[in-house]
């Protein structure tokens, strides 16, 4: 690149790209350290590439590709600009746009493949009707994106696009660079200004726009919302782009105001408030769920368990026997209304027998209507179920859901359990 061309690059473009690249690498490493993060990362890459490929396929199927034998005058215009800009001629398509005035550069695949330029047909029609050079500027602008490899570079910094204001600031710098290059290679700042006015006012009114007054309009918008809108945009405001072209090529009539103080305030506020807001959201969510009654209480699960329940649940028969000998009540309940007999349903029959010997009630129902027999049947503990039946457990008792031990056994399909409970099937 010649010294003149290097001067066309916006002063912040390379710096912002390096910063975005560093942030993207950090985010990527962070995501790849966890399985969930890696899956999210892979999903977004696949989804982005696939959706982009589909979009490009649609354009290549339906758009009209410029060739030496297809719209040769337009193709010659592209070829001439490519020669001047030292860019390989990309695939250029004309696409009907339903009145939208736009153009863009891309690749067949998001990260590789042939370069493409898509020109919306209404803009091409405008240029042909007016016989102006606005289209030259638009084509040169998109070729500048290719020359600077903005499309390829963007693939490596897409994680930085998640950071508020960061990724889009790089994209805006790229637009300034391409504006300068387009004017430089078409050798007419006025063509650049007129081309941008088309985007602002449309194909019929753009020639009647007072440029100086239009740029001054930007200076009238001094509120925080105007600054925030600009900071969140991928493209600079059109009046500001026009002023930048005029300033760079020494034709400026109006200077755009600085929004540095407002920008600093918004950035400082955002990055101070985001962590606070995030912490507040997490805290509020935790409080919300802690206030909701899901029928489970940590206190009921832990604090209301007696030593006998703990020992019974853990299957510590020696400790169970010691506690019973010392007078522990086998029918004491926890916060769910369960007894030691119920929480030991999964254990060996010896503990069940020991609790029954000390007076545990085989027909006690907890807060949800469950009995010890339902508990042993649900875990298919055959020996414990047999002991409870011998002790007088009633298999017809029903819980709050309307199920009895007999129905639970029937649903399990365990023939031995069904025989114990007197259930016979053909």
């Amino acid at each position: 690149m010649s010294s003149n061309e290097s001067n066309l690059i916006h002063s912040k473009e390379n710096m912002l790209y390096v910063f975005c690249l560093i942030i993207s690498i950090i985010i990527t490493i962070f995501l790849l350290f966890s399985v969930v993060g890696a899956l999210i990362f892979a999903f977004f890459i696949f989804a982005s590439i696939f959706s982009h490929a589909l979009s490009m396929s649609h354009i290549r199927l339906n758009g009209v590709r410029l060739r030496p034998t297809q719209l040769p005058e337009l193709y010659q215009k592209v070829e001439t600009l490519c020669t001047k800009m030292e860019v390989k001629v990309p695939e250029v398509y004309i696409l009907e746009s339903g009145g939208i005035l736009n153009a863009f550069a891309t690749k067949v695949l998001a990260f590789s493949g042939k370069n493409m330029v898509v020109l919306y047909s209404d803009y091409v029609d405008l240029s042909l009707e007016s016989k102006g050079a606005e289209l030259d500027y638009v084509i040169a602008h998109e070729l500048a994106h290719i020359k600077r490899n903005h499309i390829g570079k963007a693939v490596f910094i897409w994680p930085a696009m998640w950071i508020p204001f960061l990724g889009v600031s790089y994209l805006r710098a790229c637009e300034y660079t391409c504006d300068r290059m387009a004017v430089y290679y078409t050798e007419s700042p006025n063509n650049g200004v007129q081309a941008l006015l088309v985007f602002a006012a449309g194909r019929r009114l753009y020639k009647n726009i007072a440029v100086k007054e239009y740029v001054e309009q930007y200076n009238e918008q001094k509120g925080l919302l105007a600054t925030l809108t600009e900071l969140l945009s991928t493209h600079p405001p059109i009046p500001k782009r026009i002023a930048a072209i005029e300033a760079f090529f020494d034709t400026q009539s109006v200077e755009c105001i600085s929004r540095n103080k407002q920008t600093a305030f918004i950035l400082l506020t955002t990055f101070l408030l985001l962590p606070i807001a995030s912490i507040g959201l997490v805290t509020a969510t935790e409080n919300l769920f802690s206030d909701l009654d899901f029928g489970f209480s940590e206190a009921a699960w832990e604090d209301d368990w007696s030593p006998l329940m703990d020992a019974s649940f853990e299957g510590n028969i020696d400790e169970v026997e010691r506690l019973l000998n010392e007078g522990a009540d086998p029918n004491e309940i926890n916060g769910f209304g369960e007894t030691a007999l119920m929480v030991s349903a999964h254990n060996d029959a010896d503990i069940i027998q020991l609790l029954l010997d000390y007076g545990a009630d085989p027909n006690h129902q907890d807060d949800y209507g469950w009995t010890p027999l339902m508990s042993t049947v649900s875990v298919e503990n055959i020996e414990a179920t047999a002991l409870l039946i011998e002790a007088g457990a009633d298999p017809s008792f029903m819980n709050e859901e309307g199920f009895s031990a007999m129905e639970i056994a029937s649903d399990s399909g365990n023939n031995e359990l069904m025989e114990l409970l007197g259930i016979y099937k053909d």
Side-chain angles (χ1 to χ4, degrees):
M1 180 181 291
S2 68
S3 59
N4 286 339
E5 289 178 331
S6 62
N7 292 335
L8 299 174
I9 300 170
H10 190 270
S11 59
K12 295 181 181 178
E13 180 187 323
N14 290 331
M15 176 193 69
L16 285 170
Y17 181 75
V18 171
F19 190 48
C20 287
L21 185 61
I22 293 171
I23 295 297
S24 296
I25 291 172
I26 293 172
I27 292 174
T28 302
I29 292 173
F30 177 78
L31 287 174
L32 294 180
F33 263 112
S34 70
V35 175
V36 175
L39 290 174
I40 292 173
F41 186 80
F43 171 78
F44 275 105
I45 288 180
F46 174 78
S48 298
I49 293 174
F50 184 70
S51 61
H52 181 83
L54 281 179
S55 178
M56 294 306 100
S57 179
H58 171 79
I59 291 171
R60 299 177 91 188
L61 283 171
N62 296 283
V64 178
R65 182 178 175 182
L66 300 188
R67 301 177 187 271
T69 55
Q70 182 71 274
L71 300 174
E73 291 183 6
L74 283 177
Y75 181 82
Q76 182 62 45
K77 190 185 292 285
V78 172
E79 194 173 44
T80 300
L81 284 169
C82 285
T83 301
K84 290 180 69 175
M85 298 177 70
E86 298 179 350
V87 173
K88 184 179 179 181
V89 178
E91 293 184 7
V92 182
Y93 291 87
I94 307 295
L95 190 68
E96 203 286 321
S97 57
I100 298 174
L101 300 168
N102 202 3
F104 61 89
T106 184
K107 285 181 177 289
V108 174
L109 292 176
F111 57 91
S112 65
K114 295 181 179 179
N115 290 312
M116 289 175 60
V117 171
V118 179
L119 304 172
Y120 284 3
S121 59
D122 285 82
Y123 207 108
V124 177
D125 290 342
L126 162 69
S127 179
L128 295 176
E129 290 169 4
S130 65
K131 297 182 180 180
E134 295 87 358
L135 185 60
D136 291 9
Y137 166 84
V138 171
I139 294 172
H141 180 97
E142 303 310 327
L143 291 176
H145 280 302
I146 294 173
K147 184 178 180 68
R148 291 289 300 151
N149 195 26
H150 289 154
I151 303 99
K153 289 179 178 178
V155 175
F156 299 101
I157 62 168
W158 66 267
M161 296 299 171
W162 303 346
I163 307 299
F165 312 121
L166 178 58
V168 290
S169 64
Y170 166 70
L171 297 180
R172 290 196 300 273
C174 292
E175 292 302 317
Y176 283 127
T177 295
C178 293
D179 283 344
R180 292 175 181 179
M181 284 190 165
V183 170
Y184 177 78
Y185 285 109
T186 57
E187 302 176 6
S188 175
N190 184 62
N191 287 342
V193 171
Q194 292 299 309
L196 290 172
L197 287 175
V198 173
F199 294 127
R203 59 189 296 175
R204 301 188 186 280
L205 296 176
Y206 79 100
K207 287 189 175 181
N208 299 322
I209 302 301
V211 177
K212 181 178 179 181
E213 187 172 342
Y214 179 54
V215 175
E216 286 176 343
Q217 177 183 310
Y218 171 85
N219 294 337
E220 295 170 3
Q221 308 302 314
K222 298 178 181 179
L224 282 174
L225 281 178
T227 304
L228 180 60
T229 300
E230 183 174 342
L231 290 175
L232 293 173
S233 298
T234 58
H235 289 60
I238 294 175
K240 196 171 181 180
R241 290 174 69 180
I242 291 173
I245 288 174
E246 292 182 336
F248 191 80
F249 292 95
D250 298 323
T251 60
Q252 187 174 33
S253 57
V254 178
E255 184 177 352
C256 287
I257 61 171
S258 169
R259 300 182 187 271
N260 290 338
K261 291 183 179 179
Q262 291 176 321
T263 299
F265 174 78
I266 290 172
L267 294 178
L268 184 63
T269 303
T270 299
F271 288 105
L272 281 178
L273 290 182
L274 269 181
I276 297 173
S278 300
I279 294 170
L281 181 62
V282 171
T283 303
T285 304
E286 289 177 347
N287 291 338
L288 173 64
F289 280 96
S290 66
D291 291 340
L292 294 176
D293 181 12
F294 293 105
F296 176 82
S297 166
E298 187 176 349
W301 179 254
E302 295 180 353
D303 297 340
D304 291 347
W305 276 44
S306 67
L308 180 61
M309 291 178 193
D310 286 331
S312 300
F313 179 79
E314 293 169 1
N316 189 342
I317 191 168
D318 293 334
E319 181 67 8
V320 169
E321 187 171 15
R322 184 186 70 78
L323 290 168
L324 288 170
N325 286 332
E326 292 179 359
D329 183 1
N331 292 311
E332 183 179 356
I333 61 174
N334 62 17
F336 296 121
E338 297 171 312
T339 63
L341 190 60
M342 301 179 77
V343 300
S344 63
H346 61 286
N347 284 320
D348 293 338
D350 292 344
I351 290 181
I352 303 293
Q353 184 64 66
L354 186 59
L355 290 167
L356 289 170
D357 290 344
Y358 276 82
D361 183 1
N363 286 311
H364 171 80
Q365 288 185 285
D366 67 13
D367 293 347
Y368 303 98
W370 277 66
T371 65
L373 185 61
M374 292 179 194
S375 299
T376 58
V377 169
S378 67
V379 296
E380 300 186 25
N381 190 336
I382 306 293
E383 291 184 61
T385 299
L387 286 175
L388 288 170
I389 291 173
E390 289 177 11
D394 189 340
S396 66
F397 277 23
M398 301 181 72
N399 60 26
E400 284 187 353
E401 296 175 338
F403 294 105
S404 67
M406 299 174 70
E407 289 169 314
I408 295 171
S410 180
D411 288 342
S412 73
N414 188 311
N415 292 328
E416 194 170 353
L417 273 176
M418 290 190 286
E419 288 178 9
L420 275 173
L421 296 172
I423 303 171
Y424 300 96
K425 290 191 175 183
D426 295 334

